[in-house]
Amino acid sequence: MSEDMMEAPPMTTAAAESPLAPIDAKTRQRLAKIDGPFRPIDGPFDSNQEAWSLRLPPSLYASVFTLPLAIDKTMWWDTSNFFTIFLAPLLSYFLLLGIEGILIFYVYKETTSVEIPEDSTLCEANADTDWLLRIVCLFLATAYIFADLRQTLGMYRWVQCVPEWHPGHQEITDYCCRYSGRTSLPMQRYHDDYGVTVKKPAVGFTCCFRFSIFFLVLLPKIILAIIWLVYGLGYVASATTNTDMILHAIVVMFALKVDDVLYRVLTPDVFQTWMTHNFEITFSEEEENEAIRWLPYVAILLMGGAVAGLYIGWCNYSNIFDFLPLDEL
């Protein structure tokens, strides 16, 4: 009998009666070269039943408050840890805010200093630009801004999944430091009767720490996104040529990617790995909020409304956005 016709040896597990996924000859030969032979485990399964995860984004906004949690608080004041895990992310975060502020300042200045003829509007002054290209550029810039806002929403959801701190959590942290690893945010795995495993935070955040995340990280991030939404779209709408309009839209998109670039340049590889894996929270299928599935429709409506509203505002009432005395700068 040829190798292709050989049957897999009988299963010895409780799922031996399950129908095995068929393996074709080429797949069997490939698996046999990897310390084989490999055989199917149990029967075919629905991967949608596996746990889905919520991770913090690869961002300086996230690393500034999560990296210190990767080590035990007794190690916080070690010289090496202080300079690499505390000070470096903090300085990188302030550098990011400074760069964002400078970019916003010049976009604001360029947008509000456009000369508009008397008895005319911003859009009438830029009538030489193609209206369809204008809509596309405005929509793309808005999409980047909404992606940043959605990232902020994901960070908020992650923080809300961490329970409130109570004194009993210190015993859990001490146990983890003694038998697993020295971390300030130990995780706990949970198993159900169907073999699905989820991972949740085993301890919580204090009210002070949670408030500092909201007030010092998420709030500035939201404010910057709103400023980019208002003045970024005005910057695109103020372009006088099609080429300038494309370039202005690219500037807005680039500004929203500064965080990602600085994170990849300034964050060591091991810390990036911690951010990807150490703070992952997983959920079962039953924990999914099905309202999130309607996100594409909600996002399109919100982006369309933002583009229409701000475009009309900049076209007809551009003077109300110019409230800072920058004429002499």
Side-chain angles (χ1 to χ4, degrees), residues 39-319:
R39 296 192 301 272
I41 299 175
D42 300 330
F45 68 98
D46 179 10
S47 61
N48 292 326
Q49 301 299 321
E50 297 292 322
W52 56 278
S53 63
L54 179 63
R55 291 184 174 94
L56 287 168
S59 162
L60 292 178
Y61 287 102
S63 65
V64 72
F65 71 86
T66 51
L67 283 180
L69 300 175
I71 60 174
D72 179 43
K73 62 182 181 181
T74 59
M75 304 169 61
W76 284 355
W77 304 116
D78 176 78
T79 303
S80 175
N81 291 333
F82 174 78
F83 281 99
T84 59
I85 296 180
F86 276 90
L87 189 59
L90 189 62
L91 293 177
S92 300
Y93 177 64
F94 286 132
L95 175 64
L96 170 63
L97 293 181
I99 293 175
E100 290 273 6
I102 292 172
L103 290 174
I104 287 175
F105 171 79
Y106 281 101
V107 165
Y108 174 90
K109 188 177 179 181
E110 289 289 329
T111 304
T112 55
S113 62
V114 175
E115 295 184 4
I116 303 175
E118 193 174 347
D119 298 329
S120 181
T121 65
L122 180 68
C123 296
E124 291 174 351
N126 302 334
D128 292 338
T129 57
D130 185 85
W131 68 272
L132 182 59
L133 179 63
R134 189 182 305 149
I135 292 175
V136 170
C137 289
L138 289 171
F139 189 82
L140 288 177
T142 305
Y144 266 71
I145 297 167
F146 270 69
D148 186 79
L149 288 171
R150 186 183 176 188
Q151 184 184 83
T152 308
L153 175 62
M155 294 171 62
Y156 172 80
R157 291 175 59 202
W158 186 92
V159 173
Q160 289 299 92
C161 288
V162 180
E164 294 290 339
W165 171 269
H166 68 79
H169 286 171
Q170 187 58 51
E171 296 182 9
I172 299 174
T173 303
D174 293 341
Y175 178 90
C176 180
C177 292
R178 188 179 303 115
Y179 296 105
S180 179
R182 303 184 68 179
T183 177
S184 294
L185 187 64
M187 308 295 283
Q188 177 66 54
R189 291 188 179 90
Y190 299 89
H191 230 19
D192 67 6
D193 295 335
Y194 300 98
V196 177
T197 301
V198 296
K199 185 170 65 173
K200 311 285 186 182
V203 300
F205 289 159
T206 63
C207 292
C208 182
F209 186 71
R210 193 183 301 270
F211 176 79
S212 66
I213 295 174
F214 290 150
F215 186 73
L216 300 177
V217 178
L218 298 186
L219 182 60
K221 195 172 187 299
I222 292 174
I223 292 175
L224 288 173
I226 293 174
I227 293 174
W228 276 117
L229 181 63
V230 175
Y231 289 96
L233 296 194
Y235 185 58
V236 175
S238 67
T240 56
T241 67
N242 289 338
T243 301
D244 285 344
M245 187 176 300
I246 295 173
L247 292 177
H248 287 192
I250 292 175
V251 167
V252 175
M253 298 175 196
F254 163 77
L256 293 166
K257 286 297 180 182
V258 170
D259 178 23
D260 296 340
V261 174
L262 290 181
Y263 173 81
R264 297 184 186 281
V265 172
L266 301 178
T267 306
D269 291 343
V270 63
F271 295 166
Q272 292 189 34
T273 302
W274 289 358
M275 289 293 299
T276 303
H277 301 289
N278 291 22
F279 305 106
E280 178 188 30
I281 301 175
T282 57
F283 307 85
S284 66
E285 185 185 31
E286 288 74 18
E287 294 179 282
E288 179 194 10
N289 183 357
E290 294 190 1
I292 299 296
R293 298 188 180 188
W294 296 90
L295 179 64
Y297 300 99
V298 176
I300 290 175
L301 289 175
L302 290 177
M303 286 191 294
V307 169
L310 288 170
Y311 182 67
I312 293 173
W314 277 103
C315 283
N316 301 317
Y317 312 101
S318 58
N319 59 309

